[in-house]
Amino acid sequence: GWLDALLAGIALGMSMLPEEFPLVLTVFMAMGAWRISQARVLTRRAAAIETLGSATVLCTDKTGTLTENRMSIAELHLGNNEVFLPREGTNGKMGEAFCELAKTGLLASALAPSDPMEKAFHELDRQIGLESGKSGQSGQSGQRQGTERKLVHAYGLRPDLLAMSHVWQSDRDSQLYEVAAKGAPEAIFDLCHLGAADRAAMMSTMDAMAAQGLRILGVARASYDGQVQPPVWPESQREFNYRFLGLVGLADPLRPSVPAAIRECQSAGIRVVMITGDYPATACAIARQAGLNAEDAVTGDMLEKMNEAELALRVRTATVFARIMPEQKLRVVQALKANGEVVAMTGDGVNDAPSLKAAHIGIAMGGRGTDVAREAAAIVLLDDDFGSIVKAVRLGRRIYDNLRKAMGFIIAVHVPIAGLALLPLLFGLPILFGPMHIAFLEMVIDPVCSLVFEAETEEADVMRRPPRSPGEPLFSRSLIGWSLLQGILALALLAIVFVVALRQGMHEDEVRALVFFSLVMSIVGLIFVNRTYSASLVTTFRRPNAALIWVLLVVATSLALTLLWPFARGLFRFGPLHLDDLSLTLGVGILLIVVLEWTKARWRRRQVK
């Protein structure tokens, strides 16, 4: 009849249309962003979740990412190679020369510092009292800065001179100014016009300090006689006549979780590259502590002399980039991309924005990062921890795996549903399903995909396999083939049940109920089959998934209502099923699981061979 034909056509259309795909994609990306946020990682662009699984190179800063960003002054070195260790000398008197070195570093720092290096000078002042050089007189220099000196001018860092200077006016003599400078030792050497012999001696000292992983600053001091009032300040700090005072070594301990996180990256086929502005020997020492190969290091000066082809060749093996300027990071990212790498890049400054934008996955620091860097990045680390990046990569791979499982399940399930809707029309058999049955099945499939597979725990080898190719399609041939195999096998079993039940003379409503229940049991069987591709069924049962339990309870309750509640049974046009019929439906699901698990086991053995 026309009504049956119309309903059968609607049911056939509903059964063949995989409308779950957009729902699953949306839910998985949203839930993925939420799960990654639990690891203290904020996802600003959903596409980055998928890209995380294919990252092949992870470029990371040193300070605050690999290290704790809690600096303390560990060593003070004078120009004559005398050494003072503040931690060992806090109970004794600090020499005048050492006190002048540390005090000048303090004067070259902000009064209310945010930079960890400057905080370290203030902390040493609280511990020792830099004005007097005596232990226990903490905080006095800060007071004297406010009562005896006034900051009147400042020179900031520049790309061509990595040093900063503060000009202080003394209350005792308004025409006498003290200039305190600190910065990269090479820049301070230039300001002080050190000779070759003195430079060589200091470089030897720097290498020894850097071998301990210390960050090194040079400190210098100058006097300026302001005869003209108001004084006319030189355009550049190079014009002051500086006197070199010495070197300051700052300790910034490695985060305890970093070595394990780097080993995990390496086992996952992800190359970790350190890019830092620190002294090369310091960067290499921290790299070794973290577990990186620090034998192949590139400095900013070396990078500046390379053309694009040379740089693309160099970045294939280099692990440490030291004394790198922010604008040079962009060249490193572009060279890695030219080699076909999928690049994840960390950054925190305004100048890092171009490299963050150019990387496939830009990762900004949430704690110390600028707004510009966060806007340019796809991911923001709320705790600036390298371990959080690795957790995000692990979760990204898990989310992509689970998305493929859900997609494969959807394809597999729609084969028997569409087949059973089409079979009666082709062979003149009683029509099994109407729109009501298909709608019910869709209500089962959607939550299964959205909840069960999304909540599935990661595969055991998720961080032991190489990154997937960025060009690999979500619907690969192997996935479609495996899904069709599952669906065709389920359809074959259900068709046998359908035909045999009709030949046994069962009533049409009973046949409909029997095949429908068998189909639902097949769907449940496909859930278990698709939960993992790399582990056995026994292992799968041991893996916790609370969503699966809830979904199975809802499905069982719904089936019981359609069978026992007269109104629902009439609505679905179901006949009564006996215990042997229910056993048959359960057997169909179990048989499907057994056959497909046997097929998976054989496939895994072939892969191992």
Side-chain angles (χ1 to χ4, degrees):
W2 283 103
L3 179 60
D4 286 340
L6 178 62
L7 294 176
I10 294 173
L12 182 61
M14 292 173 63
S15 66
M16 299 183 94
L17 181 67
E19 72 279 3
E20 298 88 357
F21 285 150
L23 172 67
V24 166
L25 281 168
T26 303
V27 170
F28 272 56
M29 292 298 105
M31 291 295 293
W34 174 79
R35 289 190 186 280
I36 289 178
S37 72
Q38 304 304 298
R40 305 284 296 160
V41 178
L42 177 65
T43 306
R44 298 189 66 252
R45 298 183 182 90
I49 298 172
E50 179 186 345
T51 313
L52 276 170
S54 59
T56 59
V57 175
L58 178 54
C59 300
T60 177
D61 190 16
K62 178 185 77 68
T63 305
T65 307
L66 297 180
T67 62
E68 295 181 357
N69 207 24
R70 290 188 298 105
M71 294 191 184
S72 59
I73 295 178
E75 293 185 13
L76 299 173
H77 281 257
L78 300 179
N80 59 6
N81 284 330
E82 289 187 52
V83 182
F84 179 77
L85 305 178
R87 292 179 182 175
E88 298 179 10
T90 50
N91 294 323
K93 185 175 180 178
M94 190 176 184
E96 184 178 342
F98 289 109
C99 184
E100 183 184 16
L101 170 61
K103 183 173 66 174
T104 303
L106 177 65
L107 292 174
S109 303
L111 285 172
S114 59
D115 185 275
M117 290 187 291
E118 297 187 339
K119 288 181 179 179
F121 283 100
H122 282 263
E123 180 61 29
L124 183 64
D125 177 38
R126 282 191 289 270
Q127 292 175 358
I128 295 178
L130 295 177
E131 289 287 340
S132 63
K134 293 182 180 179
S135 170
Q137 297 182 8
S138 60
Q140 292 190 14
S141 67
Q143 269 186 336
R144 287 188 169 92
Q145 285 180 23
T147 57
E148 296 185 3
R149 296 187 185 90
K150 182 172 67 174
L151 180 63
V152 292
H153 197 69
Y155 296 89
L157 291 170
R158 293 175 55 181
D160 59 335
L161 184 62
L162 297 178
M164 59 187 300
S165 298
H166 285 173
V167 182
W168 296 86
Q169 182 183 35
S170 173
D171 288 346
R172 297 172 184 171
D173 187 348
S174 60
Q175 294 184 353
L176 183 64
Y177 300 90
E178 295 178 2
V179 186
K182 68 173 173 45
E186 303 94 327
I188 297 297
F189 296 162
D190 288 341
L191 290 178
C192 298
H193 307 291
L194 286 190
D198 291 332
R199 278 178 182 261
M202 286 296 97
M203 293 295 287
S204 176
T205 301
M206 287 170 57
D207 289 337
M209 297 170 70
Q212 305 173 51
L214 298 180
R215 191 167 193 175
I216 308 167
L217 289 177
V219 177
R221 195 178 188 121
S223 297
Y224 183 70
D225 192 3
Q227 298 295 334
V228 181
Q229 294 297 326
V232 178
W233 304 114
E235 291 186 6
S236 171
Q237 52 189 318
R238 294 180 186 274
E239 298 182 32
F240 293 109
N241 186 22
Y242 285 100
R243 175 170 54 92
F244 180 69
L245 297 182
L247 301 174
V248 178
L250 296 108
D252 186 10
L254 192 73
R255 291 180 186 267
S257 61
V258 165
I262 286 181
R263 285 194 299 271
E264 196 169 11
C265 281
Q266 292 167 341
S267 69
I270 302 172
R271 186 159 65 96
V272 179
V273 175
M274 178 198 291
I275 303 178
T276 178
D278 266 1
Y279 185 63
T282 302
C284 290
I286 294 295
R288 291 188 191 96
Q289 294 177 27
L292 296 175
N293 178 13
E295 302 305 317
D296 195 2
V298 177
T299 64
D301 291 338
M302 295 166 59
L303 190 148
E304 198 67 33
K305 298 173 184 176
M306 297 179 190
N307 58 36
E308 301 308 319
E310 291 172 337
L311 181 58
L313 188 63
R314 196 75 174 85
V315 296
R316 291 180 181 177
T317 56
T319 307
V320 176
F321 291 83
R323 280 289 188 257
I324 297 295
M325 301 300 291
E327 57 270 19
Q328 292 177 322
K329 290 184 178 181
L330 178 60
R331 288 193 64 198
V332 174
V333 170
Q334 291 172 337
L336 288 167
K337 291 174 68 176
N339 290 339
E341 306 282 5
V342 179
V343 184
M345 178 79 182
T346 67
D348 55 7
V350 172
N351 293 333
D352 290 333
S355 57
L356 291 174
K357 202 77 174 176
H360 296 97
I361 310 163
I363 304 172
M365 302 296 119
R368 67 180 192 277
T370 60
D371 291 340
V372 174
R374 286 193 287 267
E375 286 297 321
I379 287 175
V380 178
L381 297 185
L382 299 180
D383 55 6
D384 297 0
D385 188 357
F386 178 82
S388 298
I389 304 176
V390 181
K391 290 177 186 175
V393 171
R394 174 187 286 271
L395 284 169
R397 291 190 174 193
R398 166 188 164 178
I399 292 162
Y400 186 79
D401 282 352
N402 290 345
L403 185 59
R404 283 174 58 86
K405 293 172 187 176
M407 295 302 185
F409 173 80
I410 291 171
I411 296 172
V413 164
H414 273 274
V415 172
I417 294 176
L420 291 174
L422 187 61
L423 192 64
L425 304 179
L426 292 178
F427 296 99
L429 301 173
I431 294 176
L432 279 173
F433 301 146
M436 178 66 70
H437 302 93
I438 305 300
F440 179 87
L441 290 172
E442 302 293 352
M443 291 173 65
V444 173
I445 297 171
D446 286 344
V448 163
C449 295
S450 302
L451 299 177
V452 174
F453 289 110
E454 197 285 325
E456 193 61 42
T457 55
E458 65 204 32
E459 299 284 347
D461 65 341
V462 69
M463 292 298 280
R464 294 200 302 269
R465 67 173 89 125
R468 62 179 178 82
S469 169
E472 178 185 332
L474 182 61
F475 295 100
S476 62
R477 290 183 179 180
S478 58
L479 176 66
I480 294 174
W482 172 239
S483 301
L484 290 177
L485 175 64
Q486 296 178 73
I488 291 170
L489 180 58
L491 176 60
L493 290 174
L494 294 168
I496 292 172
V497 171
F498 181 28
V499 173
V500 171
L502 285 176
R503 292 194 174 183
Q504 292 292 329
M506 288 183 68
H507 190 271
E508 182 180 320
D509 288 350
E510 293 179 358
V511 173
R512 182 177 293 107
L514 180 66
V515 175
F516 186 84
F517 273 57
S518 299
L519 175 58
V520 173
M521 289 298 104
S522 299
I523 292 173
V524 172
L526 291 177
I527 295 173
F528 288 103
V529 170
N530 285 279
R531 283 186 67 192
T532 180
Y533 297 141
S534 61
S536 65
L537 185 64
V538 176
T539 305
T540 306
F541 275 115
R542 291 175 183 168
R543 284 162 55 170
N545 191 329
L548 174 61
I549 298 173
W550 283 105
V551 166
L552 293 180
L553 287 174
V554 171
V555 170
T557 303
S558 302
L559 287 178
L561 286 175
T562 60
L563 196 62
L564 302 177
W565 186 22
F567 173 77
R569 189 167 67 238
L571 189 65
F572 281 86
R573 293 193 293 172
F574 283 168
L577 291 180
H578 305 94
L579 187 60
D580 56 342
D581 298 324
L582 295 175
S583 301
L584 175 64
T585 63
L586 185 61
V588 169
I590 293 174
L591 179 60
L592 185 63
I593 291 175
V594 170
V595 174
L596 290 175
E597 283 296 320
W598 176 78
T599 305
K600 273 202 308 186
R602 290 199 61 183
W603 178 78
R604 282 197 301 269
R605 284 197 293 270
R606 286 183 61 185
Q607 291 295 106
V608 170
K609 289 180 181 178

